Amino acid sequence: MTVLLTHGYFIADDPKEQVIMRPYPPLGLLYVAGHLREAGHDVRVYDSTFGTFDGLIEHVVSVRPACLGIYVNLMTRANVVRIMRHVRKLHGMAALPIVLGGPETRNHAANFLSAGADVCVVGEGERTMEEAIAALSGDRSSLARVDGIAYLDAHGATVFTNEREKQRDMAALALPARDLIDLGAYQRAWKQRHGHSTLNVSTMRGCPYTCKWCSRAVYGLSYRRRPVEKVIDELATIQRDHAPDRIWFVDDVFTISHKWLAEFAEELERRSLRIAYECITRADRMNDEVIALLKRSGCVQVWIGAESGSQRIIDAMDRR
């Protein structure tokens, strides 16, 4: 069936980001798109970052999808509710199945469902979205057998199904469907403001640390890493097709595994692939050997959250 995915973030409505201008493609949404496409669906993406609310609504009318999927986070939840309410008023779309996913759904499912969502995906979205779409297109009573969702039962009560088991085989993940959006818009925005272009890549899911302020609503307290070969295959494709000046690794702690990092550096050299990249890590996962591996593999900048100069506050955060 035709599935339309979007996310409801509009840079034109964000004066702070217009000053900073560091936009990145909606990677999580593109992972879901890639998975659904491999499952046989006709997937479209309206990337609202450089779009407008009216443009999004016009796209829904034009595509007339069999299902609308929307990613929602803290910044976009008001927009997402507005989008749902507007879509419900469109001619012939009052019953359009709407599925929400992202970090906000776990704690606010009841609110989103009462605002018009049919299903909230709780946790990782690829397999859950595929199964939820199948249930919504047939006997909706089968939603009870879809792990990792919330929905309203016949009495209007919010029902959470069993927690979905996390994706273990990271090599089996479909690649993000980057071809479904205009990556050039992001690269031009970066180039004009910062003098270099950049694209985002994920090599892992989850984080084993327990910092109290960090959301684990999607990937949980875990550490699952994609094989080095798969990551470098993706980097080679990105370099060939889009030639960004830099890569931004979105992983919570890029240097968590020193063994993986060493294999990464070695495989890049074996393939004679040179990339410049930035990453995030923790001070306690850095040492002289790691710094040498980062430099050797092309790292130009490392971001570390110092969080606080007070040990009492750091302990209260459970920064370990």
Side-chain angles (χ1 to χ4, degrees):
M1 66 172 66
T2 300
V3 180
L4 176 60
L5 303 177
T6 191
H7 55 93
Y9 171 74
F10 306 98
I11 205 166
D13 297 336
D14 188 344
K16 294 287 188 182
E17 184 59 30
Q18 289 172 40
V19 173
I20 298 167
M21 197 52 71
R22 296 174 62 90
Y24 287 100
L27 198 56
L29 198 71
L30 298 181
Y31 264 109
V32 173
H35 178 88
L36 293 178
R37 189 163 62 180
E38 282 196 356
H41 293 286
D42 174 18
V43 184
R44 319 286 180 88
V45 176
Y46 183 85
D47 184 8
S48 56
T49 300
F50 295 103
T52 64
F53 181 87
D54 289 342
L56 192 161
I57 299 303
E58 289 172 8
H59 199 71
V60 174
V61 172
S62 172
V63 173
R64 300 196 73 83
C67 181
L68 175 63
I70 313 176
Y71 170 86
V72 56
N73 61 23
L74 180 64
M75 287 181 64
T76 63
R77 59 187 184 186
N79 272 349
V80 168
V81 169
R82 181 181 169 216
I83 290 165
M84 290 195 295
R85 288 177 172 162
H86 203 94
V87 166
R88 292 291 186 214
K89 296 175 183 177
L90 296 174
H91 178 69
M93 294 194 185
L96 172 67
I98 298 178
V99 181
L100 303 189
E104 285 295 282
T105 56
R106 183 178 293 276
N107 295 319
H108 302 287
N111 292 333
F112 289 127
L113 293 168
S114 66
D118 292 279
V119 169
C120 285
V121 171
V122 178
E124 290 181 309
E126 290 90 353
R127 292 174 298 161
T128 308
M129 184 69 173
E130 179 187 359
E131 294 177 20
I133 288 172
L136 288 168
S137 64
D139 180 6
R140 292 202 175 199
S141 65
S142 62
L143 285 171
R145 298 191 292 275
V146 178
D147 290 344
I149 65 170
Y151 66 97
L152 296 180
D153 66 14
H155 306 289
T158 302
V159 175
F160 284 86
T161 61
N162 295 328
E163 190 79 14
R164 178 168 294 274
E165 184 179 358
K166 295 177 182 66
Q167 176 85 24
R168 294 182 181 275
D169 184 4
M170 296 297 285
L173 280 174
L175 286 175
R178 293 184 174 91
D179 59 296
L180 295 181
I181 68 170
D182 180 11
L183 291 183
Y186 291 89
Q187 292 183 282
R188 289 189 295 274
W190 273 83
K191 200 86 170 179
Q192 290 166 7
R193 184 61 57 86
H194 306 289
H196 67 268
S197 61
T198 185
L199 291 174
N200 48 347
V201 171
S202 171
T203 78
M204 60 178 273
R205 288 190 172 181
C207 178
Y209 293 97
T210 53
C211 311
K212 284 189 167 62
W213 42 261
C214 193
S215 172
R216 289 180 288 277
V218 176
Y219 296 136
L221 188 66
S222 64
Y223 168 69
R224 292 160 289 142
R225 202 75 180 254
R226 295 172 58 206
V228 162
E229 295 79 9
K230 291 286 188 180
V231 172
I232 295 181
D233 285 346
E234 182 181 10
L235 292 173
T237 300
I238 290 172
Q239 187 179 69
R240 181 197 68 209
D241 295 344
H242 307 290
D245 298 316
R246 290 188 187 181
I247 293 293
W248 165 245
F249 286 115
V250 302
D251 313 313
D252 291 331
V253 189
F254 186 74
T255 66
I256 193 167
S257 170
H258 298 173
K259 179 176 181 292
W260 188 95
L261 183 60
E263 292 173 357
F264 178 68
E266 290 166 8
E267 185 65 12
L268 283 170
E269 289 175 349
R270 190 186 72 78
R271 300 200 200 183
S272 299
L273 184 63
R274 293 299 300 166
I275 60 168
Y277 71 88
E278 301 177 42
C279 64
I280 313 169
T281 190
R282 291 166 54 102
D284 57 2
R285 298 308 299 157
M286 296 284 278
N287 57 34
D288 289 345
E289 178 187 3
V290 168
I291 292 168
L293 284 170
L294 287 169
K295 182 177 180 180
R296 177 178 153 197
S297 59
C299 184
V300 295
Q301 190 161 14
V302 177
W303 296 79
I304 294 178
E307 317 307 351
S308 175
S310 163
Q311 190 61 46
R312 180 179 63 84
I313 298 300
I314 289 173
D315 291 343
M317 290 176 173
D318 199 17
R319 285 284 284 158
R320 291 160 55 185

